[in-house]
Amino acid sequence: MKTGLFCNYDNYHQDARRAILEQVALVKQAENLGFEEAWVSEHHFSESNLSPSMLVLMGHLAALTTTIKLGTAAVLLPFHNPIRVAEDIATLDNLCNGRLLFGIAKGGPFPEQNKHFATPMGESRPQMLEAMALIEKLLYETNVSFNGQYYQCDRLTVHPKPLQRQIPVYVATGDDDGIGFAAKHSFGLMGGPPFSLPRLRNTVAKYRALNSSGCENLVLARFFYVARTYDEAVTEALPFIRQFSQKMTANAAVVMQKSSTGHKTFDRTNICFDEDYLLENSIIGDVQTCRDRIKLFQDELNLGTLAIKPSSCNVQKNLESLTRYNQEVRNYV
């Protein structure tokens, strides 16, 4: 199992420049500790997560790091022109000397994103899948012609080509169509912090039934904080967990109210934002608790990468927690 850092560019202090510099400090610390990967999320219209221009931020990280792989977690493809994404991804792979990992998602549950990018929520998933099919051709082929429902091109070749012969791709999905698409192409899977273990177990089982050779590439993101005692860890992480719970619960209510597409219920068997659930399903606690929870995820899901999201609002405490993880948790799981 590889260790990754999950990067949200949290704006705890209402200071954009400080948020960017603090996230850079965490990525540099992760690289110094030998973490294999850093995954950057994409958020729009958010005061708390300042990563709308994810690929710009990753270009910045590419210049400041040398060994850690940089992953998109994830490019929200329905909100982007796939031709531009292919150009940007290929360019970024060259900038980071072939260290790029390419995660994709449909976006959500954030209705404002779909509204302002003029993408109906019910069409996000088919747009994501079609966009990725086109991007895959554009990255590695020449004179590409494509005639899809949403995207078209005629004898198009994009430059530059990626440095890697094949950029690893990961799909954030629990839907049958998305799982089938990932399995067909031997793409990896991604799971977010609120995704329940039953949902993840079901997703992996469906993938494995279609393709037994790619399911070991699961990237699992989890909120994280390790301290000397369980109570100390919970106390330090709780402000972040509480803020996340409140924001996502409000978003979920809007999604369910507006949805006419049979949106899955937000519950503990699928995806849940309750504060107690998040604490129980995160990797937050003393050293032994964190070891035990990671071991559970390993046993149940056969993780490829555990991407941990430091969950204190204090950057120094997060740096210390990453060091404790490296010294007392990582080599014991």
Side-chain angles (χ1 to χ4, degrees), residues 21-264:
L21 292 175
E22 289 186 348
Q23 186 63 75
V24 168
L26 290 169
V27 172
K28 286 185 173 180
Q29 173 80 332
E31 182 173 64
N32 290 337
L33 294 173
F35 284 26
E36 291 90 347
E37 300 167 2
W39 293 86
V40 180
S41 62
E42 177 180 334
H43 293 275
H44 296 276
F45 323 127
S46 170
E47 289 183 313
S48 55
N49 301 116
L50 302 181
S51 53
S53 300
M54 170 210 286
L55 299 181
V56 174
L57 293 170
M58 292 178 66
H60 181 229
L61 292 176
L64 298 174
T65 59
T66 56
T67 59
I68 196 166
K69 293 185 177 181
L70 302 174
T72 63
V75 177
L76 307 182
L77 285 182
F79 307 150
H80 301 278
N81 183 307
I83 297 172
R84 285 303 310 271
V85 172
E87 292 178 323
D88 289 346
I89 288 296
T91 301
L92 183 55
D93 192 49
N94 281 272
L95 285 175
C96 69
N97 198 30
R99 290 183 282 136
L100 186 65
L101 306 169
F102 184 26
I104 64 170
K106 70 180 183 64
F110 299 99
E112 287 295 298
Q113 294 184 354
N114 291 80
K115 173 184 175 182
H116 293 294
F117 288 115
T119 304
M121 295 191 75
E123 296 184 25
S124 291
R125 184 172 288 108
Q127 281 192 243
M128 173 191 76
L129 299 179
E130 186 176 300
M132 188 60 222
L134 174 54
I135 291 167
E136 189 76 356
K137 287 180 173 293
L138 291 172
L139 286 175
Y140 309 109
E141 299 177 18
T142 58
N143 296 317
V144 173
S145 294
F146 191 91
N147 187 25
Q149 179 181 354
Y150 302 101
Y151 309 109
Q152 299 82 35
C153 66
D154 180 35
R155 291 165 292 180
L156 175 62
T157 302
V158 301
H159 300 282
K161 293 301 183 184
L163 185 61
Q164 296 181 80
R165 184 172 181 178
Q166 196 79 27
I167 298 173
V169 176
Y170 300 81
V171 185
T173 186
D175 172 83
D176 287 351
D177 289 342
I179 296 167
F181 179 82
K184 177 183 177 180
H185 296 278
S186 291
F187 294 156
L189 296 170
M190 305 183 75
F195 289 11
S196 72
L197 187 55
R199 169 185 172 149
L200 293 163
R201 192 188 300 120
N202 186 48
T203 297
V204 169
K206 288 181 177 179
Y207 185 109
R208 188 174 287 125
L210 298 169
N211 180 353
S212 62
S213 65
C215 55
E216 71 278 4
N217 293 326
L218 174 66
V219 176
L220 177 65
R222 276 298 184 261
F223 299 140
F224 163 82
Y225 193 83
V226 60
R228 290 169 296 181
T229 68
Y230 179 84
D231 289 344
E232 179 185 343
V234 171
T235 298
E236 193 60 44
L238 189 56
F240 166 80
I241 295 292
R242 182 162 291 159
Q243 181 187 51
F244 179 86
S245 172
Q246 292 170 351
K247 178 178 70 174
M248 296 304 293
T249 299
N251 266 327
V254 174
V255 170
M256 295 304 295
Q257 182 181 17
K258 294 184 176 181
S259 177
S260 59
T261 59
H263 199 288
K264 289 183 179 180

